[in-house]
Amino acid sequence: MAERRFMTINMGPQHPATHGVLRLVLELDGEVIVKATPHIGHLHRGVEKLAESRTYHQVIPLTDRLDYTNAMGNNLAYVLAVEKLLGIEVPKRAQYLRVMMAELQRIAAHLIWLGTHALDIGAMTLLFYNFREREEVLGIFEAVAGGRLTPTYLRIGGVSKDLPDGIEERIKTFVRAFPDHVKEYETLLTQNVIWLKRTKGVGIISKEDAINWGVTGPTLRGSGVRYDVRKAFPYSGYDEFDFEIPLGSVGDVYDRYIVRLREMEWSNSIVEQALERLPKGPILADDPRVTLPAKDAVTQDIAALIRQFKIVSEGFSPPPGEVYASVEAAKGELGFYIVSDGSNHPFRVRIRPPSFLNLSALPKMIEGSLIADVIAAIGSIDIVLGEIDR
Amino acid sequence: MVESNLTVKKLNERFPSSVLEVKTFRGEVTVTVLKRDILEICKFLHSDPDLQYHFLVDLCGLDFFPQSPRFEVVYLLCSMKEYQRLRLKTRVGENESISSVESVWKAANWLEREVYDLFGIPFENHSDLRRILLWDGFEGHPLRKDFPVEGPDFDKPFVLEV
């Protein structure tokens, strides 16, 4: 009998379907994958190390650049951790603004996922529709925060600025139109025969395996596990909103697709609820140790000027201790574990990256399946290398 | 708070000599245990029907240079039964190794590789202990406190893996 020989091929790091600089070494028996080994780290910038030499405020812009499709969510996870460390309370209006922005960001992130995922599998049309809506969300971010991709909108103790005039009407228009757009996307894919053949029964991961591998987010819920940080460990007032957790049953690529589509609809509903019930009041906690004074006070009051100068130049020193705070980011549970030694910069900032652990389960999903399914599986776990490599 | 915590109670009963310290800060429970028993403790927390810590949320390192023992390995667990979190810590000295918990949670595979890569703490019985974020020829472990923010490898050539 002839000796069995495997072929090794290298996919990435420069490959359009690996969503960034992911390199996969695939061992193939014909077209069947025997072994898959991901190689990561091409985008490693040492964010955790950098954070140790900065003040607490200065770390916020670094977080935008982790999962760059989900900047608001990353900001939120970090500021929640620091606020927990300090033990400060955030005003209601700021909490609602944060929820609103985080959910709009989730919609934008899922839209990128849907467009590129469909593009990978061969449905090119969808991308144009998705980017049309995403553009509007980024437009809203630009109006609110001044930045589109990396808005750095959140501050420790609140948000950087209040909503500009007329933006509520713009968000309302978007929210009203969005459910119809989701239906539009669904007409292209949900019952499309090619789509079904490429996604049903592909890249399956069971409930137990998914938990054991540390998979979170829509990828975990696609396998039917009811775990969403917004419900399990409510933060920023999420317990006051009415929403459901969409679940899959099989844990294949198709289930993850359906879960994310439903999630976009619920996110849209949360934005609507937040807008309707948006409380009036301050947008920043008034804690002289931590938050900057109002701009006009700085020009008139020497005490406010000194406070501004102190916070900008040396930051603040939280009590020694360690905290972990996490949010349900677009990809899964994004957590920040911060250790303070009582000085004005963090002793350690550990980022718990959802994509990192989701990707580690990829070989489990694709070994034994066809090489064409790798593309579908990578798309379905929705990785962003900026967050995996940090 | 700490006294009423079921996990802490069970750990104290089962491993009376290994639990070194129990702390609560901002509502988060941290249990420091002996390195020797870490694998047994993890197996227990995972399999006990009342606790069911099936989800390893995170595993990371801390460097307390120049203190001794120098390192701490931190495990963050989440019970899928009642959505409860527990932080487990163990101290590791320089040039010491620690048992891998990969046999309990597969998630530990990559997380331990990252701790090995960035702190240089080796894990025993790990199935694939290689660097993960940095390349094989890299010298040093960047998250150690004695590693400069601007690395010494600045102008060295990139070594390709084969």
Side-chain angles (χ1 to χ4, degrees):
Chain A
M1 208 180 113
E3 180 195 354
R4 266 173 64 134
R5 283 173 62 200
F6 297 136
M7 181 188 242
T8 305
I9 67 160
N10 194 33
M11 188 177 159
Q14 283 86 22
H15 189 289
T18 56
H19 294 234
V21 279
L22 166 68
R23 178 174 160 228
L24 276 175
V25 176
L26 301 170
E27 261 180 57
L28 301 173
D29 179 12
E31 267 205 77
V32 177
I33 295 153
V34 181
K35 191 166 181 257
T37 317
H39 289 261
I40 59 170
H42 298 86
L43 205 60
H44 182 59
R45 294 148 296 173
V47 170
E48 291 177 10
K49 180 81 175 173
L50 285 174
E52 288 175 11
S53 54
R54 293 177 173 227
T55 65
Y56 284 87
H57 283 295
Q58 287 171 338
V59 178
I60 299 175
L62 293 178
T63 66
D64 286 77
R65 287 147 182 84
L66 295 168
D67 170 0
Y68 37 77
T69 65
N70 189 49
M72 293 282 191
N74 303 346
N75 286 175
L76 182 56
Y78 173 72
V79 297
L80 282 175
V82 180
E83 283 156 8
K84 195 171 184 184
L85 185 62
L86 290 161
I88 58 175
E89 192 69 31
V90 178
K92 206 86 215 157
R93 186 177 173 84
Q95 287 191 6
Y96 272 55
L97 286 174
R98 286 172 171 190
V99 167
M100 207 156 84
M101 291 305 143
E103 293 304 323
L104 279 172
Q105 183 81 75
R106 188 187 317 278
I107 292 174
H110 280 3
L111 285 173
I112 296 192
W113 155 79
L114 183 58
T116 52
H117 182 37
L119 182 67
D120 288 347
I121 298 182
M124 194 178 185
T125 326
L126 203 63
L127 185 78
F128 304 112
Y129 291 103
N130 293 154
F131 271 65
R132 180 186 63 192
E133 271 77 69
R134 177 173 178 263
E135 185 56 35
E136 179 54 21
V137 176
L138 295 191
I140 292 170
F141 286 170
E142 191 178 7
V144 172
R148 288 160 54 87
L149 194 69
T150 54
T152 320
Y153 179 53
L154 271 52
R155 293 289 180 273
I156 295 160
V159 295
S160 64
K161 30 184 134 20
D162 210 337
L163 296 179
D165 291 337
I167 195 72
E168 291 183 31
E169 205 41 57
R170 191 171 169 188
I171 300 174
K172 256 182 212 155
T173 314
F174 174 80
V175 165
R176 249 180 256 133
F178 190 67
D180 287 334
H181 289 312
V182 176
K183 288 202 187 88
E184 218 169 52
Y185 311 149
E186 285 211 77
T187 57
L188 282 165
L189 296 179
T190 306
Q191 285 167 35
N192 180 326
V193 181
I194 305 172
W195 182 258
L196 292 175
K197 288 212 161 167
R198 290 297 305 274
T199 57
K200 280 241 175 187
V202 171
I204 295 179
I205 187 157
S206 71
K207 237 180 190 179
E208 292 73 26
D209 280 339
I211 295 175
N212 201 254
W213 281 92
V215 171
T216 47
T219 316
L220 177 69
R221 293 190 286 276
S223 297
V225 182
R226 193 175 292 276
Y227 178 75
D228 185 313
V229 185
R230 290 174 294 177
K231 290 272 191 195
F233 303 96
Y235 53 89
S236 199
Y238 266 109
D239 40 356
E240 294 161 24
F241 293 94
D242 182 26
F243 65 101
E244 281 169 26
I245 311 175
L247 292 180
S249 50
V250 187
D252 57 3
V253 173
Y254 185 77
D255 274 358
R256 285 168 224 145
Y257 156 74
I258 291 292
V259 165
R260 286 202 181 86
L261 277 186
R262 296 287 89 78
E263 250 186 51
M264 282 200 274
E265 290 174 345
W266 281 114
S267 292
N268 194 58
S269 158
I270 296 173
V271 175
E272 200 174 8
Q273 294 172 42
L275 204 55
E276 261 169 34
R277 305 207 302 257
L278 192 63
K280 298 235 174 321
I283 52 151
L284 200 61
D286 188 26
D287 188 324
R289 291 172 305 158
V290 179
T291 54
L292 294 176
K295 259 285 177 300
D296 47 340
V298 176
T299 56
Q300 286 159 23
D301 180 6
I302 183 70
L305 180 66
I306 293 170
R307 173 177 156 193
Q308 160 104 11
F309 182 75
K310 273 195 75 125
I311 291 172
V312 170
S313 60
E314 64 183 49
F316 55 85
S317 306
E322 52 192 339
V323 291
Y324 175 82
S326 67
V327 302
E328 185 67 33
K331 321 289 183 231
E333 176 168 356
L334 173 73
F336 277 81
Y337 169 52
I338 299 180
V339 183
S340 157
D341 57 357
S343 69
N344 64 348
H345 47 260
F347 179 75
R348 172 97 164 93
V349 177
R350 158 71 187 170
I351 303 155
R352 190 260 178 215
S355 294
F356 181 84
L357 286 143
N358 291 359
L359 179 67
S360 78
L362 180 73
K364 178 88 194 152
M365 292 178 197
I366 58 172
E367 277 169 8
S369 57
L370 297 175
I371 188 162
D373 295 340
V374 176
I375 310 290
I378 294 177
S380 78
I381 57 173
D382 191 17
I383 50 167
V384 166
L385 271 297
E387 174 180 86
I388 293 171
D389 296 341
R390 280 155 288 143
Chain B
M1 169 82 199
V2 173
E3 294 72 31
S4 62
N5 189 302
L6 180 70
T7 313
V8 176
K9 222 171 89 189
K10 284 214 160 198
L11 276 177
N12 270 324
E13 275 168 22
R14 182 75 195 267
F15 303 95
S17 62
S18 324
V19 177
L20 300 177
E21 193 184 7
V22 181
K23 260 201 272 187
T24 308
F25 180 71
R26 306 273 188 240
E28 297 179 9
V29 181
T30 308
V31 181
T32 310
V33 298
L34 265 187
K35 182 177 76 116
R36 191 190 62 209
D37 293 329
I38 189 71
L39 184 58
E40 285 309 312
I41 288 171
C42 287
K43 274 184 187 159
F44 169 72
L45 290 171
H46 181 268
S47 61
D48 190 278
D50 295 331
L51 303 176
Q52 298 187 17
Y53 283 97
H54 287 173
F55 176 27
L56 175 69
V57 183
D58 199 7
L59 192 162
C60 68
L62 295 175
D63 181 12
F64 292 94
F65 181 77
Q67 284 173 38
S68 179
R70 179 169 175 179
F71 301 110
E72 270 182 8
V73 176
V74 184
Y75 304 78
L76 184 67
L77 316 179
C78 178
S79 165
M80 295 307 266
K81 203 174 162 216
E82 285 171 353
Y83 296 138
Q84 207 177 32
R85 284 182 184 140
L86 172 77
R87 188 179 298 121
L88 209 59
K89 271 183 163 186
T90 180
R91 301 189 179 113
V92 185
E94 202 163 2
N95 303 321
E96 279 180 17
S97 60
I98 178 169
S99 295
S100 165
V101 293
E102 201 195 336
S103 55
V104 186
W105 301 282
K106 290 278 186 225
N109 186 329
W110 277 28
L111 292 169
E112 285 175 350
R113 274 178 70 187
E114 192 184 323
V115 174
Y116 167 71
D117 186 0
L118 303 179
F119 286 93
I121 304 171
F123 289 83
E124 297 153 20
N125 302 320
H126 189 285
S127 64
D128 183 25
L129 197 62
R130 290 178 292 129
R131 280 188 182 271
I132 187 163
L133 292 175
L134 300 163
W135 58 97
D136 288 340
F138 189 86
E139 277 173 35
H141 304 283
L143 279 182
R144 288 189 172 193
K145 289 285 178 190
D146 51 358
F147 192 94
V149 178
E150 271 179 12
D153 64 314
F154 184 67
D155 50 358
K156 282 194 185 157
F158 182 84
V159 184
L160 284 172
E161 44 191 304
V162 185

